[in-house]
Amino acid sequence: MTDAPGTYALLLQNEERQEIEVGALGEMIVRPGVYVYVGSAFGPGGLRARVGRHARGDGALHWHVDYLRAATALEAVWYTHDPERRECTWAAVLRALSGASVPVDGFGASDCTCPGHLVRVAEWPSWDRFRDHLHARVDTHSAVCRAPGAPLS
Ligand SMILES: [Zn+2]
């Protein structure tokens, strides 16, 4: 992962049911399972700066995902340095996985018309299936990589 721009997914594991406050969205019930949040980083410092911030979990609670990140464990990050913003496509692929649901309408999707950029799955999502579906939708998509959560901080 470099400081070039790109799109990423945070795979956040939650063990126990909890209720958290998510800024203006209000109360959110976080159930056991895997929450996958999709974002993009096209500002200074690119992907490495943004994902590093998520991995450390420090700083002000600014985006919706900051509240969820503070309450869960970051297990892995999937990312691409594709020069196009791919977050809506990534979110669509994740929403289409079997057993996937959108836990909170509009989460992380203030600037687009997606149902949400946060998807919950009961089981760990298949990396191979995710990549296959992504490349099937966008045949010019750049390589997709993955990294474990902890070493990124
Ligand atoms: Zn979107």
Side-chain angles (χ1 to χ4, degrees), residues 23-150:
L25 285 179
E27 199 122 293
M28 173 183 176
I29 294 170
V30 189
R31 295 191 287 150
V34 182
Y35 285 77
V36 187
Y37 170 78
V38 179
S40 62
F42 281 77
L47 262 191
R48 188 162 51 192
R50 176 70 66 82
V51 171
R53 182 182 178 284
H54 287 311
R56 289 189 303 277
D58 57 6
L61 298 174
H62 178 62
W63 291 289
H64 295 153
V65 68
D66 295 337
Y67 298 85
L68 182 63
R69 168 66 188 99
T72 55
L74 177 62
E75 295 291 336
V77 180
W78 296 349
Y79 65 95
T80 180
H81 283 295
D82 192 297
E84 297 284 317
R85 282 179 195 272
R86 299 293 188 192
E87 55 188 309
C88 294
T89 305
W90 280 41
V93 167
L94 289 162
R95 288 195 306 268
L97 294 176
S98 70
S101 61
V102 174
V104 181
D105 285 344
F107 192 108
S110 314
D111 304 325
C112 64
T113 56
C114 286
H117 286 182
L118 178 71
V119 173
R120 178 187 176 274
V121 282
E123 306 280 331
W124 190 262
S126 162
W127 161 248
D128 290 334
R129 198 166 304 148
F130 173 72
R131 271 192 320 176
D132 288 351
H133 289 191
L134 203 53
H135 290 294
R137 276 178 197 247
V138 184
D139 57 9
T140 56
H141 201 297
S142 301
V144 187
C145 310
R146 56 180 169 173

